[in-house]
Amino acid sequence: MTPHELYQRPGFLLRRMHQIAAAVFENACADLGLTTGQYGVLVVVSSEPGIDQTRLARALAFDKVTVMRVLRGLEERGLLDRVSSGRQKTLALTVAGHELLGQARTRAEAASRRLMSPLDSADQAQLVRLLQTLANGLADEARAPFVPLQR
């Protein structure tokens, strides 16, 4: 295999796009000190107050180590409370967490638009459909389960 062939492989391109997507988001939220993973946790916990750590991890397809690391960081910043409830810990955003999420939403939307800006609207929709098809078709290969929250 040549480097040129490597650069055409879906795995290489997906990894590269993940790097770019994270950079675009983190640049948009730099002054907030927020990563994509932290933003995802804030969004899910905001929409599901009292969610437990296991459901949160599945809703974001995080493994246990990742979810614990992200939660610890948000808790240390005073953005999230973890409350023991029997064997589980339930989660809720603090007032500061809600405020930061409010500031981040507009920036996250702008980052998403920036990420998709090289594509026209039809190509954007097609890209999302293709990525969903790949993710759904290969879900059993994932290291962490994904169980989306129900509306």
Side-chain angles (χ1 to χ4, degrees):
M1 171 178 294
T2 67
H4 178 73
E5 291 168 325
L6 173 68
Y7 302 153
Q8 303 306 309
R9 292 205 163 206
F12 179 88
L13 292 167
L14 288 168
R15 183 186 60 78
R16 182 72 179 130
M17 280 311 305
H18 173 71
Q19 291 173 325
I20 293 167
V24 167
F25 178 89
E26 289 171 11
N27 287 339
C29 293
D31 63 318
L32 301 178
L34 205 56
T35 66
T36 58
Q38 292 168 336
Y39 180 73
V41 167
L42 294 175
V43 167
V44 170
V45 174
S46 174
S47 71
E48 293 278 326
I51 191 171
D52 64 69
Q53 292 176 189
T54 302
R55 273 189 68 219
L56 172 68
R58 289 181 181 151
L60 294 170
F62 283 173
D63 59 50
K64 289 180 183 181
V65 172
T66 300
V67 78
M68 292 301 295
R69 187 183 73 244
V70 173
L71 290 175
R72 189 176 310 114
L74 291 172
E75 190 175 33
E76 287 172 358
R77 290 177 63 186
L79 303 173
L80 179 112
D81 285 327
R82 289 193 278 186
V83 179
S84 292
S85 176
R87 292 179 50 201
Q88 290 287 340
K89 290 197 183 232
T90 59
L91 308 166
L93 296 188
T94 63
V95 170
H98 282 288
E99 289 173 1
L100 185 69
L101 178 59
Q103 294 172 7
R105 284 187 195 274
T106 303
R107 297 166 192 219
E109 286 301 317
S112 183
R113 284 190 305 275
R114 172 69 184 118
L115 186 65
M116 298 295 270
S117 66
L119 303 174
D120 65 30
S121 60
D123 286 344
Q124 290 177 17
Q126 182 181 19
L127 175 62
V128 171
R129 278 193 307 275
L130 291 171
L131 290 171
Q132 287 172 332
T133 299
L134 283 170
N136 293 336
L138 298 170
D140 59 334
E141 302 286 334
R143 293 181 183 163
F146 173 59
V147 181
L149 296 175
Q150 301 301 313
R151 291 183 185 231

